[in-house]
Amino acid sequence: MKTLTLLRHAKSGWDDPVARDFDRPLNAKGKRAAAMVGRHMRSLGLTFDHAIASPAVRVTETLEQIESGYGRTIAPDWDRRVYLASAATLLDVVHGFPAETQSALLVGHNPGLEDLVLMLVADGTDPLRDAVEDKYPTASIAELQFEGDSWEDIASGNARLTRFVRPRDLDPTLGPDAD
């Protein structure tokens, strides 16, 4: 069985006057949310054999905050393909994971991450999938499990969504209406 955890970057600062979207940093709420999610990941005992992430500033800063709460260094491979990628591109990235990897972390952006979950988890009566379809907020994690031994075999509809955690689930002040 393979496990893929998807992490959307934390809330970034739109009021920061950067020249490029790629350079947008996290805001204070995003930093708090990422550290909280990191602590939650530690409490769940999540571990990863392989990690890959977008090199965008908001992703690198998210991982710094996640690590502060998680208590471990993640040290992802930085892959420019993940920056603002479509679900199809993200699936290509996943197909390229090392065969020996059992549990992987992919850190990136929406709408690609949300679309990847919706592509891989069959539509039906899954309340977690419905929650993802409603909204995949910043700093949220989705954990998918796949039967089989090969990342290359992962395809549309063959995943089970085993976990979907939003920052507001851990602390209501990190919800959409709170600052």
Side-chain angles (χ1 to χ4, degrees), residues 54-116:
S54 161
V57 169
R58 59 192 178 273
V59 172
T60 62
E61 290 185 357
T62 296
L63 281 170
E64 289 170 6
Q65 296 302 315
I66 289 283
E67 289 174 345
S68 74
Y70 185 53
R72 298 179 184 194
T73 300
I74 295 173
D77 291 339
W78 303 104
D79 189 331
R80 183 90 180 175
R81 294 177 299 164
V82 178
Y83 175 66
L84 302 181
S86 68
T89 298
L90 293 174
L91 185 56
D92 286 343
V93 170
V94 169
H95 285 160
F97 286 173
E100 65 276 5
T101 299
Q102 294 301 309
S103 181
L105 175 66
L106 176 61
V107 190
H109 310 265
N110 249 8
L113 291 176
E114 178 179 330
D115 291 345
L116 183 62

Side-chain angles (χ1 to χ4, degrees), residues 2-18:
K2 302 285 189 184
T3 301
L4 174 63
T5 301
L6 305 176
L7 168 63
R8 183 177 175 199
H9 68 78
K11 191 161 188 59
S12 58
W14 284 95
D15 55 349
D16 196 303
V18 295

